[in-house]
């Protein structure tokens, strides 16, 4: 993919490095000349420009990008960049960093945001995921809650141990995307038997998260 990252601070540079190592093409757009450090991310294309200006984004050919990441430390700038990327340049995917959690409610489709990333929320989800067994843990939301990535770890008293995935009556609008077992990532198949401690990753709707937990809990046989 061709990815544009707006904001070349520590966060933006780290994202750029990860994407480059995975074989993607990266363009870093930074307004502050003091942060334009080409040696820090030598494989990236660097553009010194104000990404809140349509003319700057036109010169950077933003329309050629598959993804835009708004990663500045300013929520106002991230929202403006997201809106311009989506409405003026029809970028397929816009990911925006939430600097102040109090502003997270603004990061919606109305502002062109497909995925909003709030560090406190992500850290809290990871803590819950690490210590919670038997409960649904929401790891990430897409399109402002229209779909969520959730995880549930099967408890020792789960009634599903030894039974195939195909027998689990998943709620509507719920898709099992992966099964984690130890250090293995298993592609779900109807014949795969479940084991205690399995971590199941689902994409689902918030309205059926409680139903999903009930299905996988020890109270259901």
């Amino acid at each position: 993919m061709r990815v544009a990252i707006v904001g070349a601070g520590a966060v933006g540079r780290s994202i750029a490095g990860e994407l480059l190592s995975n074989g993607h093409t990266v363009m870093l757009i930074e307004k502050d000349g003091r942060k334009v450090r080409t040696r820090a991310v030598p494989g990236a294309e660097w553009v010194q420009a104000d990404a809140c200006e349509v003319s700057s984004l036109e010169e950077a050919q933003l329309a050629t990008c598959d993804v835009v990441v708004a990663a500045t430390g300013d929520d106002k700038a991230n929202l403006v960049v997201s809106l311009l990327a989506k409405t003026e340049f029809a970028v397929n995917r816009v990911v925006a960093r939430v600097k102040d959690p109090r502003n997270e409610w603004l990061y919606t489709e109305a502002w062109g945001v497909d995925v909003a990333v709030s560090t406190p929320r992500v850290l809290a989800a990871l803590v819950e995921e690490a210590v919670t067994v038997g409960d649904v843990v929401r790891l990430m939301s897409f399109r402002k809650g229209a779909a969520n990535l959730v995880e549930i770890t099967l408890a020792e008293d789960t009634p599903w141990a030894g039974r195939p995935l195909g027998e689990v009556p998943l709620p509507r609008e719920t898709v099992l995307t992966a099964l984690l077992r130890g250090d293995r990532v298993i592609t779900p198949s109807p014949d795969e038997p479940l084991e205690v401690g399995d971590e199941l990753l689902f994409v689902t709707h918030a309205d059926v998260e409680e139903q999903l937990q009930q299905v996988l809990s020890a109270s259901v046989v």
Side-chain angles (χ1 to χ4, degrees):
M1 296 184 298
R2 178 170 171 78
V3 183
I5 300 173
V6 178
V11 173
R13 294 196 305 271
S14 296
I15 296 170
E18 290 290 333
L19 291 171
L20 286 166
S21 66
N22 289 332
H24 301 295
T25 301
V26 174
M27 174 173 59
L28 277 162
I29 304 176
E30 174 57 51
K31 179 181 179 180
D32 188 348
R34 295 170 298 178
K35 294 182 180 179
V36 178
R37 305 170 185 172
T38 56
R39 293 182 179 180
V41 192
E45 174 188 349
W46 287 79
V47 176
Q48 184 179 349
D50 185 352
C52 292
E53 297 287 342
V54 173
S55 58
S56 298
L57 298 179
E58 288 176 342
E59 291 181 11
Q61 297 183 326
L62 199 74
T64 65
C65 295
D66 303 293
V67 181
V68 166
V69 181
T72 78
D74 186 329
D75 283 331
K76 295 188 294 295
N78 288 340
L79 288 168
V80 170
V81 168
S82 298
L83 184 63
L84 292 177
K86 185 67 70 173
T87 60
E88 298 294 327
F89 299 93
V91 175
N92 183 54
R93 191 74 164 166
V94 176
V95 180
R97 173 192 179 192
V98 181
K99 176 64 174 179
D100 187 339
R102 292 174 297 180
N103 295 328
E104 188 173 0
W105 65 277
L106 289 166
Y107 284 72
T108 66
E109 286 186 359
W111 279 95
V113 178
D114 294 308
V115 179
V117 180
S118 172
T119 301
R121 182 179 295 277
V122 170
L123 290 175
L126 291 175
V127 169
E128 289 184 326
E129 188 271 337
V131 301
T132 304
V133 175
D135 292 332
V136 170
V137 176
R138 186 179 300 177
L139 301 178
M140 184 175 291
S141 294
F142 305 100
R143 298 189 179 276
K144 202 57 180 180
N148 298 317
L149 176 65
V150 302
E151 181 269 351
I152 186 166
T153 301
L154 296 183
E156 291 188 2
D157 56 354
T158 178
W160 299 106
R163 299 171 65 176
L165 277 169
E167 292 186 8
V168 181
L170 295 179
R172 60 179 177 82
E173 300 182 10
T174 300
V175 178
L176 177 61
T177 59
L179 189 158
L180 309 181
R181 181 177 296 153
D183 58 358
R184 297 174 59 201
V185 179
I186 300 172
T187 301
S189 68
D191 298 327
E192 180 67 36
L194 291 167
E195 297 181 8
V196 170
D198 281 351
E199 296 181 50
L200 307 179
L201 296 177
F202 297 91
V203 174
T204 187
H205 194 281
D207 292 344
V208 297
E209 286 180 10
E210 183 176 350
Q211 183 181 348
L212 176 62
Q213 181 171 327
Q214 293 174 348
V215 166
L216 294 172
S217 71
S219 62
V220 179
V221 178

